Amino acid sequence: MSRFWSRLTHDLDPYVPGEQPRMGGLVKLNTNESPFGPSPLALEALRAGATDELRLYPDPQSGVLRTALAAYHDVTPDQVFVGNGSDEVLAHVFAGLLKQDGPLLFPDITYSFYPVYCRLFGITHETVPLDSGLGVRVDDYRRPAGAVILPNPNAPTGIALTRAEIVALLEMHPNAPVVIDEAYVDFGAETAIPLVADYPNLLVVQTMSKSRALAGLRVGYAIGDAALIEGLNRVKDSFNSYPLGRLAQAGAIASLEDEAWFQQSRVRVIEGRIRLEHGLAGFGFEILPSSANFVFARHPGHVGAALASELRQRAVIVRHFAAPRVADFLRITVGTDDQIDALLAALSEIVSA
């Protein structure tokens, strides 16, 4: 704390990212990174891009990447916005679209960056409680709102809404921006991108960090009506005109060109999730239905924080949230088969004791 901080800085309660420890032999299942490497085409593009041209600024509009994303998702380039990871994209979305006269609505248990952005940008918001099964009940959003944001699948629960439920939400709020945050959509949920053509108030945010294993490059994007994208670009160009470096753009473009790798990788994660769920169920865990690359589970005989601590003592780290209603749950990333085996072996020791 410093006397030179602004009032805004004093009042912030920053987001706490997942721990990134530097320990050998650690089974790291706490940050929802891909257990598999990026596309070989992406890696080759990164190597090829490490030239003298790195002395030059990147394309500030990321034109080639936006064109590639537009082709992949069957939209036009002016419907695509890119940024330095989906967190930066979301920051621009909060500043550019979600600060309205009415309150912003989002779930009470959700991505914990949302309330942080609300404090940062001075956005009035209301949280909508999840139902008794920790799912989003769309009808609960039938209330006055300036804007709505929902992760689909939700985080940290992993529970997904159907596209029909997203349509119902859009029909409820035709005059308000509706943002669907699809960081985990590729692992079993339905994307809302096809709805963009019919709903000018819809913005869909995705990332290449999860299903494309490019978390280290920081590439996120949004797809929506061209007028929404224009608003985001106005914010971006008032903050940082060059958000994506040359290597990030090259790796992302190459990843889009390797559909076979992408499909194979996401299927492997889904198979690992099913295996993890079966293993946890065998130890008596209650597991929420996940459409993400993680599971959210609790054991009736163990306090969540204590269980996370005992796993850490066995060199396995998972994510624990000390929040009401979910304090006994652990969010466990789907890892490789060896990582899942190590987790289950550690749990076997803990539960049997």
Side-chain angles (χ1 to χ4, degrees), residues 16-35:
V16 179
E19 183 184 3
Q20 295 283 4
R22 297 289 183 262
M23 298 166 54
L26 193 67
V27 178
K28 186 175 177 296
L29 302 175
N30 67 321
T31 49
N32 297 340
E33 295 149 323
S34 172

Side-chain angles (χ1 to χ4, degrees), residues 15-23 26-34 156 184 210 276 293-296 308 311-312 315-321 330-335 339 343:
Y15 171 77
V16 179
E19 183 184 3
Q20 295 283 4
R22 297 289 183 262
M23 298 166 54
L26 193 67
V27 178
K28 186 175 177 296
L29 302 175
N30 67 321
T31 49
N32 297 340
E33 295 149 323
S34 172
Y184 302 101
K210 313 298 184 183
L276 174 59
N293 68 339
F294 59 84
V295 299
F296 204 51
L311 284 170
R312 174 180 285 274
V316 178
I317 59 171
V318 297
R319 193 79 189 265
H320 173 256
F321 299 91
L330 300 179
R331 194 195 69 189
I332 306 170
T333 303
V334 176
Q339 289 174 321
L343 167 76

Side-chain angles (χ1 to χ4, degrees), residues 39-219:
S39 156
L41 294 185
L43 295 176
E44 179 55 34
L46 294 175
R47 286 188 285 267
T51 70
D52 179 65
E53 289 195 347
L54 289 179
R55 65 190 171 81
L56 304 174
Y57 283 113
D59 173 10
Q61 280 77 46
S62 302
V64 178
L65 174 56
R66 287 172 47 244
T67 298
L69 285 165
Y72 189 86
H73 290 291
D74 195 23
V75 296
T76 58
D78 64 354
Q79 292 180 288
V80 181
F81 176 84
V82 298
N84 187 18
S86 63
D87 285 337
E88 182 187 73
V89 173
L90 286 168
H92 293 333
V93 169
F94 272 72
L97 302 178
L98 301 186
K99 188 172 184 177
Q100 302 289 338
D101 291 336
L104 170 64
L105 304 182
F106 53 81
D108 64 333
I109 299 168
T110 193
Y111 187 28
S112 52
F113 229 136
Y114 295 169
V116 173
Y117 285 140
C118 288
R119 288 190 294 270
L120 180 62
F121 297 115
I123 298 173
T124 301
H125 66 283
E126 295 178 4
T127 58
V128 181
L130 299 182
D131 65 20
S132 60
L134 297 183
V136 171
R137 188 165 43 207
V138 169
D139 203 50
D140 291 344
Y141 288 77
R142 197 179 298 277
R143 62 169 82 176
V148 180
I149 183 168
L150 288 178
N152 193 42
N154 193 17
T157 65
I159 300 175
L161 295 172
T162 65
R163 191 179 295 156
E165 289 174 302
I166 300 299
V167 169
L169 181 69
L170 289 162
E171 297 287 352
M172 285 177 201
H173 298 284
N175 299 313
V178 175
V179 178
I180 305 300
D181 182 356
E182 295 187 341
Y184 302 101
V185 73
D186 294 322
F187 302 109
E190 294 179 287
T191 180
I193 288 176
L195 302 176
V196 164
D198 297 319
Y199 295 93
N201 60 326
L202 171 63
L203 188 80
V204 181
V205 178
Q206 291 198 6
T207 178
M208 291 192 165
S209 294
K210 313 298 184 183
S211 57
R212 294 187 182 274
L214 293 176
L217 284 191
R218 313 307 302 126
V219 180

Side-chain angles (χ1 to χ4, degrees), residues 283 299 302 345-353:
F283 293 127
H299 194 281
H302 292 266
L347 287 172
S348 178
E349 292 181 6
I350 296 166
V351 172
S352 62

Side-chain angles (χ1 to χ4, degrees), residues 262-279:
F262 168 68
Q263 294 296 341
Q264 179 189 54
S265 179
R266 60 182 288 275
V267 167
R268 290 176 70 190
V269 171
I270 293 169
E271 291 172 346
R273 184 183 70 216
I274 294 170
R275 182 168 176 265
L276 174 59
E277 290 171 337
H278 286 168

